[in-house]
Amino acid sequence: MTAQLIDGKAVAAELKAHIREQIKAKIMEGKRPPGLAVILVGEDPASSIYVRNKREACEQVGIHSIYHHLSADIKEEELIALIHALNHDKKVDGILLQLPLPRQIDANKVLDCIDPQKDVDGFHAYNLGRLAQRRPLLRSCTPYGIMLLLDHIHQQYKGKHAVIVGASNIVGRPMALELLIAGSTVTVCHRFTHDLPYFVRQADILVSAVGKPEIIKGEWIKEGATVVDVGITRREDGSLAGDVEFEAARKRAAWITPVPGGVGPMTVAVLLHNTLRAAGYINSHQDDFGLR
Ligand code: GUN
């Protein structure tokens, strides 16, 4: 078997085109463009690239992005003061605080300060709690983007074993909740898991979000599985590597995401979608991608 590629770049482009049309239509009705505040603390090279991509995507669809680039030695209180100001700013519908943050800042404490209605990353305890209760409002971008990709290939969920590798607050945990809502039996593997290959071999749906190049061996992949690779790491030679041994996995899987061009573009597309939601452009409880 040779797996078919799940083309996240193409699906994200479709979603972005749809978002652009929605914004255009609302502006014709006299509404102001949605506003997204983007906060980057420090100079982390990967974060700088992610933030640039997000701001460019805003521009492409007609979202007004307001950029705050803060020094790496900023005090926690100053960052919290900025967030309070953005919470009260009527032109700001969404607040994106790029992670990770420098060591002197307690990320949870700061994330707790973001108004949950402006939490377009879906990282606030309120939004994660809503997802845990299977009545999500703003959903974390990467896991939700992955669900949209899986829907796109008409993935069956009920009765399937979904195995997630990596238990972060950003990807692994909300991913487990999404797949649980969809009806899969979910296993989450993490640094204390004994015998990772044992679990990966059982996966009908495998989502790996570790960030260690080729930690998932191709020979572990179940025949006919769907493989989603969230990991993206730059090797010393400058090339990008996913968590999964791509060529070997491709021989066994039915579907697989490439790195790059798989999950990454979907994270950005969902951020834009969440900003529309936060701005009241999209009826909550009804998703507008027509997919899920
Ligand atoms: N760092 C890594 N992924 C993300 C993300 O999706 N959002 C934010 N804010 N920070 C991140």
Short mmCIF file of all heavy atoms in Angstrom, two decimals, residues 39 47 50-51 54 95-100 111 120-121 123 140-143 170-171 267-268 271, ligand 1:
data_model
loop_
_atom_site.label_atom_id
_atom_site.label_comp_id
_atom_site.label_asym_id
_atom_site.label_seq_id
_atom_site.Cartn_x
_atom_site.Cartn_y
_atom_site.Cartn_z
N ILE A 39 0.61 38.81 19.85
CA ILE A 39 1.69 39.17 20.79
C ILE A 39 2.84 38.17 20.66
O ILE A 39 2.64 36.96 20.80
CB ILE A 39 1.19 39.17 22.25
CG1 ILE A 39 -0.08 40.00 22.41
CG2 ILE A 39 2.29 39.67 23.19
CD1 ILE A 39 -0.75 39.84 23.77
N SER A 47 9.14 30.88 16.61
CA SER A 47 7.95 31.68 16.95
C SER A 47 7.83 32.88 16.03
O SER A 47 6.72 33.25 15.62
CB SER A 47 8.01 32.16 18.40
OG SER A 47 7.89 31.07 19.28
N TYR A 50 6.30 31.67 12.83
CA TYR A 50 4.87 31.37 12.99
C TYR A 50 4.04 32.65 13.03
O TYR A 50 3.00 32.76 12.40
CB TYR A 50 4.63 30.57 14.28
CG TYR A 50 5.19 29.17 14.28
CD1 TYR A 50 5.79 28.63 15.41
CD2 TYR A 50 5.12 28.36 13.13
CE1 TYR A 50 6.32 27.33 15.41
CE2 TYR A 50 5.63 27.07 13.13
CZ TYR A 50 6.24 26.57 14.26
OH TYR A 50 6.74 25.30 14.26
N VAL A 51 4.55 33.63 13.79
CA VAL A 51 3.80 34.88 13.94
C VAL A 51 3.73 35.62 12.60
O VAL A 51 2.69 36.16 12.22
CB VAL A 51 4.44 35.75 15.06
CG1 VAL A 51 4.04 37.20 14.95
CG2 VAL A 51 4.06 35.19 16.43
N LYS A 54 1.11 33.97 10.51
CA LYS A 54 -0.25 34.26 10.99
C LYS A 54 -0.67 35.67 10.58
O LYS A 54 -1.80 35.88 10.15
CB LYS A 54 -0.31 34.08 12.52
CG LYS A 54 -0.22 32.62 12.94
CD LYS A 54 -0.06 32.42 14.44
CE LYS A 54 0.13 30.94 14.77
NZ LYS A 54 0.30 30.67 16.20
N ILE A 95 -7.25 37.57 20.75
CA ILE A 95 -5.90 37.81 21.28
C ILE A 95 -5.09 36.54 21.11
O ILE A 95 -5.50 35.47 21.58
CB ILE A 95 -5.95 38.19 22.78
CG1 ILE A 95 -6.79 39.47 22.97
CG2 ILE A 95 -4.54 38.37 23.34
CD1 ILE A 95 -7.10 39.79 24.44
N LEU A 96 -3.98 36.65 20.40
CA LEU A 96 -3.09 35.50 20.21
C LEU A 96 -1.76 35.78 20.90
O LEU A 96 -1.08 36.73 20.54
CB LEU A 96 -2.86 35.28 18.71
CG LEU A 96 -1.76 34.26 18.47
CD1 LEU A 96 -2.36 33.00 17.95
CD2 LEU A 96 -0.71 34.78 17.57
N LEU A 97 -1.46 34.99 21.90
CA LEU A 97 -0.17 35.11 22.60
C LEU A 97 0.68 33.92 22.18
O LEU A 97 0.38 32.78 22.55
CB LEU A 97 -0.42 35.09 24.13
CG LEU A 97 0.82 35.06 25.01
CD1 LEU A 97 1.68 36.31 24.81
CD2 LEU A 97 0.41 34.95 26.48
N GLN A 98 1.70 34.19 21.39
CA GLN A 98 2.52 33.09 20.87
C GLN A 98 3.32 32.43 22.00
O GLN A 98 3.94 33.12 22.81
CB GLN A 98 3.46 33.62 19.76
CG GLN A 98 4.23 32.55 19.02
CD GLN A 98 3.34 31.61 18.20
OE1 GLN A 98 2.28 32.01 17.71
NE2 GLN A 98 3.76 30.37 18.05
N LEU A 99 3.30 31.13 22.05
CA LEU A 99 4.05 30.34 23.03
C LEU A 99 5.24 29.69 22.33
O LEU A 99 5.17 29.47 21.12
CB LEU A 99 3.14 29.27 23.64
CG LEU A 99 1.87 29.78 24.33
CD1 LEU A 99 1.05 28.60 24.84
CD2 LEU A 99 2.19 30.75 25.45
N PRO A 100 6.30 29.34 23.01
CA PRO A 100 6.54 29.47 24.45
C PRO A 100 6.88 30.89 24.86
O PRO A 100 7.26 31.73 24.03
CB PRO A 100 7.73 28.53 24.66
CG PRO A 100 8.47 28.54 23.36
CD PRO A 100 7.43 28.71 22.31
N LEU A 111 -2.23 33.27 30.44
CA LEU A 111 -3.33 32.78 29.60
C LEU A 111 -4.67 32.92 30.33
O LEU A 111 -5.69 33.22 29.72
CB LEU A 111 -3.10 31.32 29.20
CG LEU A 111 -1.98 31.07 28.18
CD1 LEU A 111 -1.73 29.57 28.01
CD2 LEU A 111 -2.29 31.71 26.83
N VAL A 120 -8.71 33.11 20.93
CA VAL A 120 -8.80 32.46 19.60
C VAL A 120 -7.87 31.25 19.46
O VAL A 120 -7.98 30.49 18.50
CB VAL A 120 -8.52 33.47 18.47
CG1 VAL A 120 -9.72 34.40 18.28
CG2 VAL A 120 -7.26 34.28 18.73
N ASP A 121 -6.96 31.06 20.42
CA ASP A 121 -6.13 29.85 20.43
C ASP A 121 -6.82 28.69 21.14
O ASP A 121 -6.37 27.55 21.06
CB ASP A 121 -4.80 30.13 21.16
CG ASP A 121 -3.64 30.30 20.20
OD1 ASP A 121 -3.61 29.58 19.19
OD2 ASP A 121 -2.78 31.15 20.48
N PHE A 123 -6.81 28.15 24.31
CA PHE A 123 -5.91 27.64 25.37
C PHE A 123 -6.43 27.96 26.77
O PHE A 123 -5.92 27.44 27.76
CB PHE A 123 -4.51 28.26 25.26
CG PHE A 123 -3.73 27.83 24.05
CD1 PHE A 123 -2.60 28.53 23.67
CD2 PHE A 123 -4.10 26.72 23.31
CE1 PHE A 123 -1.85 28.15 22.56
CE2 PHE A 123 -3.37 26.32 22.20
CZ PHE A 123 -2.24 27.04 21.83
N SER A 140 -9.01 24.70 20.29
CA SER A 140 -7.58 24.84 20.01
C SER A 140 -7.32 24.60 18.53
O SER A 140 -7.86 23.66 17.93
CB SER A 140 -6.78 23.84 20.84
OG SER A 140 -7.09 24.00 22.20
N CYS A 141 -6.46 25.45 17.96
CA CYS A 141 -6.34 25.53 16.50
C CYS A 141 -5.79 24.25 15.87
O CYS A 141 -6.33 23.77 14.87
CB CYS A 141 -5.45 26.70 16.12
SG CYS A 141 -6.11 28.28 16.65
N THR A 142 -4.70 23.70 16.42
CA THR A 142 -4.09 22.54 15.75
C THR A 142 -4.99 21.31 15.84
O THR A 142 -5.26 20.68 14.80
CB THR A 142 -2.67 22.28 16.32
OG1 THR A 142 -1.88 23.45 16.09
CG2 THR A 142 -2.02 21.08 15.66
N PRO A 143 -5.51 20.94 17.02
CA PRO A 143 -6.39 19.77 17.06
C PRO A 143 -7.64 19.94 16.19
O PRO A 143 -8.06 19.01 15.50
CB PRO A 143 -6.77 19.67 18.53
CG PRO A 143 -5.67 20.36 19.26
CD PRO A 143 -5.22 21.46 18.36
N ILE A 170 -1.30 22.14 24.35
CA ILE A 170 -1.57 22.78 23.06
C ILE A 170 -2.11 21.79 22.04
O ILE A 170 -2.99 22.10 21.25
CB ILE A 170 -0.28 23.44 22.52
CG1 ILE A 170 0.15 24.59 23.42
CG2 ILE A 170 -0.46 23.93 21.10
CD1 ILE A 170 1.41 25.29 22.94
N VAL A 171 -1.57 20.57 22.02
CA VAL A 171 -1.99 19.60 20.99
C VAL A 171 -2.54 18.30 21.59
O VAL A 171 -3.71 17.97 21.39
CB VAL A 171 -0.84 19.27 20.00
CG1 VAL A 171 -1.36 18.33 18.90
CG2 VAL A 171 -0.27 20.52 19.36
N THR A 267 -3.50 24.95 11.16
CA THR A 267 -3.47 25.70 12.43
C THR A 267 -3.78 27.17 12.15
O THR A 267 -4.58 27.80 12.85
CB THR A 267 -2.09 25.55 13.11
OG1 THR A 267 -1.85 24.18 13.36
CG2 THR A 267 -2.00 26.33 14.40
N VAL A 268 -3.16 27.69 11.11
CA VAL A 268 -3.34 29.11 10.78
C VAL A 268 -4.78 29.35 10.29
O VAL A 268 -5.43 30.33 10.69
CB VAL A 268 -2.30 29.55 9.73
CG1 VAL A 268 -2.51 31.00 9.35
CG2 VAL A 268 -0.89 29.33 10.25
N LEU A 271 -7.13 29.46 13.17
CA LEU A 271 -6.97 30.72 13.91
C LEU A 271 -7.84 31.82 13.28
O LEU A 271 -8.52 32.58 13.98
CB LEU A 271 -5.49 31.13 13.92
CG LEU A 271 -5.21 32.52 14.48
CD1 LEU A 271 -5.41 32.54 16.00
CD2 LEU A 271 -3.79 32.96 14.13
N1 GUN B 1 3.16 27.68 19.93
C1 GUN B 1 3.13 26.52 19.22
N2 GUN B 1 1.91 26.36 18.65
C2 GUN B 1 1.17 27.42 19.00
C3 GUN B 1 -0.17 27.82 18.71
O1 GUN B 1 -0.93 27.15 18.03
N3 GUN B 1 -0.55 29.02 19.24
C4 GUN B 1 0.28 29.76 20.02
N4 GUN B 1 -0.21 30.90 20.53
N5 GUN B 1 1.50 29.42 20.32
C5 GUN B 1 1.95 28.25 19.80
#
